[in-house]
Amino acid sequence: MMARIFLDGPANGSGDERFAAPAKPVNLSRRRFLLGSAGVATGALVLGFGIPVGPARAQGPAAPAPKALDVPAFLEIRPDNTVRFLSPFMEGGQGAFTAMAQIVGEELDMDPAVFEVEAAPAGKVFQVMFGGTMRITGGSMSVRTSYDTMRRLGASARAMLVSAAAQRLGVGADTLTTEPGKVIHAASGRSLSYGELAEGALDMGVPEAGRISLKDPKDFRWIGKPVARIDMHAKSTGQAMYAIDSQVENMLQAAVQHAPRLGLQPGAIRNEAAVKAMPGVHSVHTLDGAVAVVAPYWWHARQAVDALDVDWQDPGESEDVRYMPADFATDAFTQHLSSQTGRGEEAETAGDSAAAFASAAKVVEGEFTSQYLHHAQLEPPSTLARFNDDGSLDLWMPNQGPEIFQAAIAAKTGLAPEKINIHSPLLGGFFGRHFQYTWGNPYPHAIALAKATGRPVKVIWSREEEFLRDPMRPMAVVKFKGALDADGWPVGLDVVSVCEGPGEGIANKRGEKLDESALEGITAKSYAIPNRRIAQLFVKNPTTLAYWRSVGNSMNDFFYESFLDEMADAGGKDPYALRLKLLEGNERLTTLLNAAVELSGGWKRGPFTAADGTRRARGIAMASPFGSEAAAVAEVSIQDGQVVVHDVWEAIDPGSIVNPAIVEAQVNSAVALGLSQVLVEGAEYEAGMPVARNFDVYQILRPEQMAKVHVKIVESGAEMGGIGEPPLPAIPPAVANAVSVLTGKRVRVMPLSKESFEA
């Protein structure tokens, strides 16, 4: 069953307070009058760690929400034997809602299929990560940071239901067992459904943490099994609700025209009177860095705003403004980065790299370049804003961290955080796009227009406006030097990345410390190269920057793993054998690397002739992002000068898993995005403007370019890692290494479509 998405009037915390959630669940069902007022079903068992509950709706409320009551609850077990669960994490296609239902349902002994999962509203009580100090959906952290908490929640609810059954049946709790959704007394043949027991469990105390027994993994019914996605039916039948679908009574819609270059501000609108007279136009507005038209229908607003003739003004000197010069071009900026000669600031050192290079039998050098990338999600950004009579503000918006937005909006509006209600619909695209980006979110427009018009306003950025203001994955030029000993083995590594990290870009300044995400995938590698110096040379970009799927690993593993192959060739080593040598003593990664090779049918670097007569080769690469380990083999050929990837074999070790079907889907998704960036994607600028403003020019991987993907899940039993991002970073270097073998030409630049190859 699909969650009902919108919540009326959630009870929010202060937003900026940090606190540790209670160590055990709390039964709040005894506050019956509060629960009834908050929309909880009569007779439901409500259990939580301090999470507020509000009535659910299929769409936004038609009238201002009543004052919400602070009724904490994660979990509501209803008399009809269904479960409502408020997820601290957003659902954007990665399967978080299903995973939460599996984990809680496992210990509760309740089929995940009967769960209705909703995105929880903003509030300090939802900060369940890292001891109650954080809440984001990103970094592949949702499941792995909440796994134990959610298991304890389900187990506590089950224990309370068993106690209620024991009281009702007049038997000892130790004589009872459970089957999905019911408690059974085998000796008498009697059973009671959870729904029947929910009201009786209202007055049961929550068991002490030490008295809660969690299942032995060998007894799992759902964890570790390919449980069907609980959002599948709603999405396939058009019932799923996204921010772009949200509606409230008396709502207007708005379209915007951004300044053609970031930093410019609107001056006079030369044809304002004529545009106001266009069909359906309600009003015309000047915003920060943009103009907008409001109308009852978005298409009327879009036609009108596109017709506005605006006098765009250059900004004054200000460090707070990120300014796009009129002569900015990506090709020239790449050359600018390449021309930098500084040694940068050290992020990682080991041994004596200077001595290693001084005594090296051979020194290998290579300069690599990655491109800007758009998020290019299917759903264009939107926000619906409504001011209520009680002074509160409701916002329906795609986001990956409700409290982050709540705090930012409080700072912008002067409203108290508890007056700002963040509703979090399904995300129609993810990849790091929905964090708080100063110039990259439509919510300031929606708030300003709702205030100006006195009515709820939904702002939708057109695809063209999104491509203009989407903050991008950074580009970098990275300079590698490798030292080889007399036997051809790597003994030294010197790396300088000339770039601005995404964290630095979001902050719009160089921080006191290095942005770790700028170099992740180059630092903290497991290969035993004893002497290392890895540094970043900071160069500010005029473009806005952001997190992208697998963040720094998305480009840095391409650099590192490609250069590792270059060192292997320079030392006369096979790249697979080289990696095995550098991983000696690391059982986990050795097992994983061998698993990928075995999955591919054995190591076969090539070039070789395939059964269809094409000349092919294979490449290999590894990555260690977000707590998981990945290894990939890619097989390629060249057709009409362009790279064709036929197969990708990927082994992934996230320690342990919840749903193998979701893991396999995520690997396929990550492979698609990894192939897209290495083969075709790239955001280019000329004269301060993006060349591509829609998918007709911005190339993404086409269906016929997708490789056949083979997945091997290796559960090493290590601490649980992430799933959504880890499979991506090994793909670009595996492809690039295969192309280098096949063509005899080293690949050092993405995307490969910039060049024409010969096999």
Side-chain angles (χ1 to χ4, degrees), residues 1 5 16 65 114 149 280 296 349 363 452 470 487 513 565 617 633:
M1 302 176 88
I5 299 301
D16 58 352
V114 304
T149 297
T349 59
V363 174
D470 175 27
D487 295 323
K513 298 181 179 179
D565 263 37
V633 176

Side-chain angles (χ1 to χ4, degrees), residues 131-162:
T133 62
M134 182 181 179
R135 177 197 181 189
I136 64 166
T137 305
S140 297
M141 289 193 291
S142 300
V143 171
R144 58 185 170 127
T145 59
S146 65
Y147 182 73
D148 291 337
T149 297
M150 297 308 165
R151 286 186 68 188
R152 290 200 311 272
L153 180 69
S156 297
R158 177 182 174 275
M160 293 168 65
L161 290 162
V162 169

